[in-house]
Amino acid sequence: MRLFHISDLHFQADIPLSRFPRLGWRRLVAQTEYRLLGRRKRFADVPSTVRRLLTEAEAWHADHLLVSGDLTAIALPEEFEEARAALAPWSGRMTIIPGNHDRYTPAAARAQLFEKAFERELQSDVPDSPVDGRFPIVKLVGPELAIVALTSARVPLMPGIAAGWIGKTQLGRLADLLQRPELRERAVFVACHHAPFRASGRPDRKNHGLVDASWLLRVLSDGQVIGLGHGHIHKRYRVDKPGQPPIFCAGSSTELGHRGFFRYEIHGRELSATAVSLEGGA
Ligand SMILES: [Fe+2]
Ligand SMILES: [Fe+2]
């Protein structure tokens, strides 16, 4: 079983500043960062990089694609449409979750722009699994693997606050799902957007991290979970802790200087992971 993991694609619309009064103050703050701090340049080649990533996934004969959030920059409808169209070849063999950028404004979250763009992918193979909107979503991949996708993406109080949480109801349902026969007989890979740990192995910053990471880790210490995949931090790394499954950050697959992905080969309950960079280095 071959699982291909990309994250933080950050499709961004090219918007003239004259349109901004109608898009709201949150997006104006973001756009200032994009233009003045060089973020637009770092994400200049997203469409062609995504085409390259998907070519790599096909060439590797991946069975399934995991996209762990932040499809967009400021959750505009045209950004979601670009992301949807780019990922369409993998529709039906893909697990996808939102990131904080996909919930950038209360209006975008209320309008369910993420859900509308990825309606088909948000169907759970265990029909009663969702307890928080569409989540958790279970994808049964072949006879041996189940992916449980959680959401940690919340509308931020203001731009610059990028923390997330999964919440008690989703974590309770995850613990319950791990006991179900259809998951019990499979290896389980869990996905969320926010990071329990930075590359150093230390928790992420309070205003950027996963608020209930310790609760998630408690549930994950169930022996059948073979890995946790996330994004949000734009570097690619792996963290191993005693008593925990390995934790993989796919980084930003499209940001210049960080482009790449993780690939996982799963045999029974054994997972081997390879971080691949498209930048010419390891
Ligand atoms: Fe991101
Ligand atoms: Fe993020």
Side-chain angles (χ1 to χ4, degrees):
M1 186 59 58
R2 294 182 162 198
L3 177 61
F4 195 94
H5 181 190
I6 58 177
S7 198
D8 293 67
L9 306 181
H10 287 296
F11 280 89
Q12 56 183 357
D14 195 12
I15 307 153
L17 281 177
S18 58
R19 205 181 135 198
F20 263 81
R22 279 172 292 129
L23 293 177
W25 64 273
R26 290 169 186 262
R27 287 171 171 144
L28 182 58
V29 171
Q31 188 72 357
T32 307
E33 182 202 345
Y34 292 166
R35 287 178 186 245
L36 298 184
L37 303 182
R39 186 171 167 127
R40 281 168 68 84
K41 280 190 189 151
R42 299 201 303 276
F43 288 96
D45 289 330
V46 170
S48 61
T49 304
V50 171
R51 281 196 293 277
R52 198 173 152 196
L53 291 162
L54 298 183
T55 300
E56 294 271 349
E58 292 287 3
W60 186 58
H61 302 292
D63 295 292
H64 198 83
L65 178 71
L66 168 62
V67 190
S68 54
D70 279 359
L71 280 306
T72 64
I74 50 177
L76 287 171
E78 54 266 52
E79 294 175 344
F80 281 114
E81 174 49 28
E82 243 198 301
R84 187 205 61 73
L87 295 170
W90 284 81
S91 183
R93 47 188 182 137
M94 166 165 75
T95 299
I96 192 161
I97 53 179
N100 50 305
H101 282 258
D102 306 318
R103 301 269 191 250
Y104 209 79
T105 67
R110 265 197 314 275
Q112 303 222 309
L113 297 179
F114 176 85
E115 285 78 359
K116 285 174 183 160
F118 298 106
E119 184 64 50
R120 181 174 177 196
E121 318 322 316
L122 300 183
Q123 306 299 319
S124 179
D125 293 335
V126 173
D128 67 340
S129 71
V131 286
D132 182 355
R134 306 295 186 92
F135 301 92
I137 291 167
V138 180
K139 294 289 183 188
L140 303 177
V141 187
E144 291 189 348
L145 177 67
I147 299 173
V148 181
L150 306 166
T151 185
S152 58
R154 312 291 167 184
V155 178
L157 283 174
M158 61 175 69
I161 295 183
W165 61 90
I166 295 165
K168 273 188 189 165
T169 49
Q170 267 192 102
L171 289 172
R173 180 51 56 94
L174 172 62
D176 164 54
L177 286 166
L178 293 174
Q179 301 304 320
R180 303 270 187 103
E182 57 269 59
L183 274 79
R184 205 73 226 166
E185 62 202 21
R186 293 162 188 265
V188 178
F189 192 93
V190 176
C192 70
H193 179 63
H194 287 78
F197 299 110
R198 303 187 69 80
S200 63
R202 297 171 67 84
D204 196 5
R205 299 192 316 274
K206 270 211 163 52
N207 65 359
H208 189 266
L210 182 62
V211 173
D212 46 8
S214 61
W215 291 91
L216 172 65
L217 294 172
R218 203 168 298 176
V219 180
L220 294 184
S221 60
D222 174 297
Q224 78 189 104
V225 179
I226 57 167
L228 169 71
H230 66 83
H232 193 51
I233 293 176
H234 285 188
K235 280 191 335 195
R236 200 164 302 105
Y237 60 89
R238 167 182 181 151
V239 172
D240 291 278
K241 297 273 186 184
Q244 292 290 336
I247 299 172
F248 305 99
C249 179
S252 172
S253 294
T254 58
E255 182 174 355
L256 293 179
H258 297 288
R259 295 172 299 176
F261 52 88
F262 252 114
R263 58 186 195 209
Y264 313 112
E265 285 192 70
I266 297 158
H267 300 280
R269 305 249 159 138
E270 296 296 313
L271 177 149
S272 65
T274 308
V276 179
S277 170
L278 297 182
E279 303 290 350

